[in-house]
């Protein structure tokens, strides 16, 4: 079953958290975790884009924008 867009957002958040952990404490373990999380995100993006018939690039950028630049919540 293809990943949903919400799945992609979750995977990108995990990859960003792993990147932050590596940046804070560089080491083989944190680097491996970061690369594994980034790989999982990329694989899910490719799968989602293929299932939806959309551009992989556009899917990736939309997920990254959602994670890195969230919309403010309505008051």
């Amino acid at each position: 079953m293809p990943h949903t867009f919400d799945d992609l957002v979750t995977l990108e958040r995990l990859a960003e958290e792993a990147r932050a952990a590596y940046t804070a404490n560089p080491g083989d373990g944190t680097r491996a975790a970061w690369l594994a999380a980034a790989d999982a995100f990329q694989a899910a993006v490719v799968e989602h884009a293929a299932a939806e018939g959309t551009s992989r690039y556009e899917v990736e950028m939309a997920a990254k924008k959602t994670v890195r630049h969230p919309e403010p919540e309505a008051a």
Side-chain angles (χ1 to χ4, degrees), residues 2-75:
H3 291 276
T4 66
F5 186 76
D6 288 339
D7 294 339
L8 300 180
V9 169
T10 298
L11 290 168
E12 173 59 9
R13 279 194 181 111
L14 291 172
E16 279 297 296
E17 289 169 5
R19 182 198 55 78
Y22 172 70
T23 301
N25 184 21
D28 289 342
T30 54
R31 184 174 188 274
W34 173 30
L35 294 177
D39 286 346
F41 171 69
Q42 288 297 320
V45 165
V46 169
E47 183 181 291
H48 179 83
E52 297 291 318
T54 58
S55 162
R56 182 208 57 80
Y57 175 80
E58 290 176 6
V59 170
E60 179 180 350
M61 291 301 106
K64 287 183 176 191
K65 180 181 178 190
T66 299
V67 171
R68 298 175 187 185
H69 307 285
E71 296 291 324
E73 293 187 24

